[in-house]
Structure formats: structure tokens, C-alpha cells
Amino acid sequence: MTAPLSVNSAIAGIAWPGIPAPTGAGLLAILFQLEQSQWWAPEEVSRRQRDQLKVLLSHAGTHVPFYRERLRDLGDLPADDTWPTVWRRIAPLIRAEIQAADAEETMITQALPPGHGELRQIYTSGSTGKPIRSVRTQLWELMWSAFTVRDHLWHRRDFRGTFATLRESGAGKALYPDGARSGSWGYSSATILKTGPMASLNITTPVEHQVEWLRRQDPDYLLTHPTIAQRLAVHCREHGVELPRLKQVITISENLKPEVRSAVRHAWGVPLVDIYSTREIGYIALQCPDHEHYHIQSEHVFVEVVNEEGQPCAPGEVGKLLVTSLHNLAMPLIRYDIGDFVEVGPPCPCGRGLPVINRILGRTQNMLIMPSGQRRWPLLSSANIESMLEIAPGIRQYQLVQKAPDLIELRLAVTRALGADAEARLAEWVRTKLGAPFRVVFAYFDEIPRTAAGKFEDFVCEIDR
């Protein structure tokens, strides 16, 4: 049974039903529409997206210098179902173009319609090596809040519970032993709802201290990166640590490996819910409430998954993801190639008309370059990891880094030193897994470094091709 919701009332003398402030009323109005639109037929969703894209193109072509030339010969989107063919005449947008246009001050709108509010800017984490500035509006942030709350509602979270986060990676922030604490789950939820507290801890904290902190917080929900969730789950299972109130683990930021769900389930007996988003776009897809695949958030973004010829991928096919933010008129990102590859899924049995992504494979930099020059995904399955740990049970962390076309560096954090025999067997494991006679060198760390945003990837290609 879903816990009752308590809406914050901004009107003196009214405790229930709550009447929110104007921003909260706007948020509730969006959520009311999202509750209906998730059940629409895909054709209706597509028509509504076309209507918003026409508005976006008109604004960008008129008020954003970068797009005046790019959209000059496009014309209007047709009113019938052929409009995607015209849409695909727009060239995909890459990061280098955004950086160059932003440096020339041609990427930001010269005028905004009334009601979009002030401009806000952030920078991407630069996990691709190419960070970009993103400018958005207060209205975009309101939309972002709506999808934050949708995720909570979809997964039937009890807003009265304690929400713990292990995501802060900034130096000196949310430090052990206390971390940081606030009285609500954050701006998005607290704008309209009464919630329990939120506790945060820096992810650079050693795992044993993270576990000790979690036991003190005794949270109902835990949000963190997949690699952190896996390490916590393994540590808790090995040491018999229970989190008795924990109901769900929520993961963000990194690509989710199947073994993370398994580790969480075995350690704590709770489900894992994953979120697919980027800083510059916001929410792209949320995990289905009834299945482990993802629903594209079509009311917020227009997503295309295309093959090498730029044509739409069918269910079961893997392609490059192009995404258009529907409501950011401050700095429109139209057919933006974020560098991710995903697998398209068939319609969901849950009945929602929102398109399905089966799995998220990651970015080009996570693709292995074979000696032939061909690129492929070096996906590490649970069985792969088990076989590696059979060779060297003391491995705490691992990372494969392709340094040259014929060279793989295996980075390890271990509880005890490995001998020559174990290294030789691990080198052969790498060659067998990757399917080529790579040279393998070893590098040892106390803790394998994460990116500035706290992300961790088990394979990285450092070859610039």
C-alpha cells in the first residue's frame, strides 16, 4: 500500500488539503499531466513531441545565432506522420560544436519568452574529456523537479522515510563521521510535499566508514553510484551488516552492471532502481516501476537511437543516442550526440506508451579498439568477474585501460600482493576476455581513482581515434 502524501500548504489557516505556493502549484500541474501522458499511445506522444519541437525550432532559428544558419533551409515540420523524416535532416550536434559556439557566444538565446525565469549555468563533469557549459532556465528546473518526483511516485517511495545519499565528491563536503543532513529530500520534493530527512556522505570515504555511517543513519532509501552500491553490498554481506529499514537502492551517474543488482539483492534483500540522466540534459530515462528496463521520459526529451547510417534502430538493435531537450530555450541542444550507445526495447507490458531502452552500453571511450581497428564493447559479465576473482580472490577493485592498440593496463586494488603466477593467469584472462593477444601490464593502487564527478568505469580507452 502506498503511503499517504502530505502536500505542504502555503496558505495560513489551511493545514489540509494543502494549497502550495505558486511554484508548487506549477509542479503539481505538470505532475497531473504526466500521470495521464504516461498511458497515451506512442502515436499521441509523438504528436505532442512534434508540437513542442516546432516551438523549439522556431525559437532557436530566430533567437539563437548558432541555429540561424543550421536551421535556415529546414522549413517547418509537417503536420502528418512524415515529420521525423524532415527532422532527421538536422545534423547531429557534437560537443566540439557546443564548445566552439559557446566560446563565440552564439549558443545562448538572445531573448526568452515570458515565464521562463532566470538563466542558470552548470558544467558537465567532463568524463569524456570534453566538459561543456550548459545554460538552462528556471522553467527547465521546474520540469526537472517534476521528473524527480515522478521517479519517487513510480517506485512507491514513502516520503516519510530517511533518504541517504553517497554522491558528493567535492573536497571538504559532507565529510565523515557526520556527513551532512537536511530536513527534507531536497528542493524538488519539498516544493510540494512533506518528507523525512536526507543525510549525505562524501563518496571518497573508505567503505568501512561508509557502512558505519549508514548503520547510524538507518535509511529507508540509499542513492549512490553503482560501483559504490556494489562495494557496500559486498562489504555488508561479508561482515554480516544489515540495514533493517532499507527498502530500495537507487543508482545514478555510471553505467549499471547486472552484477550490482544481484549484489544488492543478496546483501539486503531489496530492489535496485536505476536512473539514466546527464547534467546538461537532465532525465533521459527512468526505470520502469514493474521491470528492470527503462522508459524514455518523452514529455521532457525527444530521443532518437540511430545506426551508422543515421536511421532509427529497431527493438533489439544497438545504436547511438541523440537527444533533444524539449523545454530548454536558453541553450537549445537539438539532436545532441551525448556519446552513449543504447539498446532499443519493444513496447513495455506495463502498458505505458513511453519508449523503452533495454540497456545502456556507455560511451565510445568505453569501447575496445581491436588490433584490426574494429571497435567493440568489452562487456564484463558476472561470470567474467567470478572467473577473475577465482584467480586472485584478493582483488578489491579492477579497471582495464587500453593504452595503445596492442596494450592493456590492468589496474588493481588488492588486499594482498599477487605473485607472478597470478599475474600471468590474469594476463591470459584479459587476452581471452578481449579476444586478442594484447600485451598486459599491471598497475597497483590503494584506491583506483574516480573522475572529478565521482564516477568509475571498469574499462577506459585512452587511444585518441
Side-chain angles (χ1 to χ4, degrees):
M1 180 178 177
T2 303
L5 301 178
S6 296
V7 173
N8 288 323
S9 184
I11 305 298
I14 302 295
W16 180 79
I19 302 175
T23 299
L27 182 53
L28 283 175
I30 297 169
L31 287 166
F32 172 80
Q33 294 174 78
L34 296 184
E35 178 60 30
Q36 315 305 313
S37 59
Q38 64 182 315
W39 304 110
W40 289 349
E43 296 77 14
E44 181 62 24
V45 173
S46 177
R47 284 192 290 271
R48 299 298 183 101
Q49 287 187 311
R50 179 202 61 201
D51 292 345
Q52 182 58 32
L53 289 171
K54 290 175 68 172
V55 174
L56 179 67
L57 291 177
S58 175
H59 172 84
T62 303
H63 298 293
V64 182
F66 173 80
Y67 285 107
R68 286 182 188 143
E69 181 62 31
R70 200 177 189 89
L71 303 175
R72 186 182 303 278
D73 300 322
L74 182 68
D76 200 7
L77 296 180
D80 57 27
D81 292 340
T82 65
W83 70 265
T85 303
V86 175
W87 171 263
R88 286 195 291 272
R89 287 164 42 194
I90 305 171
L93 178 69
I94 62 175
R95 283 177 172 248
E97 290 179 303
I98 299 174
Q99 291 172 310
D102 198 30
E104 296 173 358
E105 300 184 350
T106 60
M107 200 70 192
I108 310 301
T109 185
Q110 295 174 328
L112 274 176
H116 286 248
E118 299 176 356
L119 301 186
R120 310 286 175 82
Q121 72 174 18
I122 57 97
Y123 285 84
T124 66
S125 63
S127 59
T128 62
K130 299 177 181 178
I132 63 170
R133 179 174 73 133
S134 177
V135 178
R136 56 267 188 109
T137 64
Q138 287 178 287
L139 180 108
W140 182 95
E141 291 181 342
L142 184 66
M143 297 296 298
W144 181 87
S145 292
F147 289 92
T148 300
V149 178
R150 170 187 258 186
D151 184 64
H152 292 323
L153 294 174
W154 268 15
H155 296 284
R156 304 172 184 88
R157 294 179 192 130
D158 185 346
F159 287 92
R160 299 170 297 184
T162 296
F163 200 93
T165 71
L166 277 157
R167 63 185 299 189
E168 176 61 64
S169 59
K173 295 182 178 179
L175 296 180
Y176 182 83
D178 297 326
R181 195 171 179 88
S182 63
S184 74
W185 288 11
Y187 171 81
S188 298
S189 301
T191 298
I192 52 173
L193 298 169
K194 296 176 183 177
T195 75
M198 180 169 68
S200 304
L201 186 68
N202 198 295
I203 62 171
T204 61
T205 307
V207 64
E208 60 272 15
H209 289 166
Q210 291 179 357
V211 170
E212 192 279 328
W213 178 83
L214 280 171
R215 293 183 72 177
R216 281 189 282 121
Q217 305 307 318
D218 195 16
D220 297 86
Y221 304 99
L222 170 62
L223 181 146
T224 190
H225 296 186
T227 50
I228 295 292
Q230 185 175 18
R231 290 186 66 188
L232 287 168
V234 169
H235 182 96
C236 286
R237 192 176 184 196
E238 290 178 347
H239 294 83
V241 176
E242 296 183 356
L243 299 175
R245 282 180 23 194
L246 190 66
K247 299 177 178 67
Q248 241 175 53
V249 172
I250 305 142
T251 51
I252 59 169
S253 190
E254 303 165 348
N255 287 344
L256 178 69
K257 308 295 183 184
E259 57 266 25
V260 183
R261 291 189 190 275
S262 177
V264 166
R265 184 170 58 252
H266 288 154
W268 301 310
V270 301
L272 184 149
V273 175
D274 193 40
I275 293 172
Y276 181 34
S277 65
T278 70
R279 296 199 72 195
E280 62 269 42
I281 292 293
Y283 292 100
I284 296 174
L286 299 176
Q287 184 177 315
C288 177
D290 304 314
H291 303 277
E292 291 184 353
H293 55 231
Y294 306 78
H295 282 293
I296 293 170
Q297 299 302 286
S298 297
E299 303 96 338
H300 182 55
V301 290
F302 178 58
V303 165
E304 305 164 77
V305 183
V306 300
N307 60 24
E308 293 182 357
E309 289 74 41
Q311 295 303 305
C313 290
E317 295 181 340
V318 172
K320 179 185 296 186
L321 186 140
L322 306 178
V323 59
T324 300
S325 180
L326 292 176
H327 306 108
N328 185 9
L329 273 60
M331 182 177 171
L333 298 176
I334 298 174
R335 304 201 80 209
Y336 173 38
D337 178 358
I338 65 174
D340 278 357
F341 288 78
V342 303
E343 180 185 293
V344 178
C348 183
C350 75
R352 290 175 175 82
L354 303 174
V356 171
I357 291 175
N358 272 343
R359 57 185 179 139
I360 301 151
L361 296 173
R363 304 198 167 194
T364 305
Q365 73 182 93
N366 303 113
M367 296 184 77
L368 173 72
I369 299 177
M370 300 295 284
S372 64
Q374 178 188 13
R375 285 184 179 269
R376 70 177 182 82
W377 296 103
L379 299 177
L380 300 181
S381 69
S382 181
N384 295 147
I385 305 309
E386 287 176 7
S387 62
M388 179 176 65
L389 294 177
E390 287 176 1
I391 297 171
I395 293 175
R396 289 192 300 105
Q397 283 181 293
Y398 66 90
Q399 185 181 60
L400 282 74
V401 180
Q402 186 169 20
K403 309 290 285 188
D406 67 340
L407 178 62
I408 300 294
E409 180 179 84
L410 179 54
R411 297 177 177 176
L412 297 172
V414 297
T415 58
R416 56 181 180 271
L418 303 184
D421 178 66
E423 285 193 347
R425 293 172 63 197
L426 284 172
E428 187 58 32
W429 175 88
V430 170
R431 288 188 280 266
T432 300
K433 168 57 190 169
L434 301 184
F438 290 103
R439 293 184 293 124
V440 180
V441 297
F442 290 80
Y444 291 94
F445 296 81
D446 293 331
E447 189 83 12
I448 297 177
R450 293 174 174 268
T451 69
K455 296 182 182 181
F456 183 85
E457 294 159 335
D458 59 15
F459 181 89
V460 176
C461 180
E462 292 185 349
I463 303 173
D464 187 15
R465 284 196 183 181

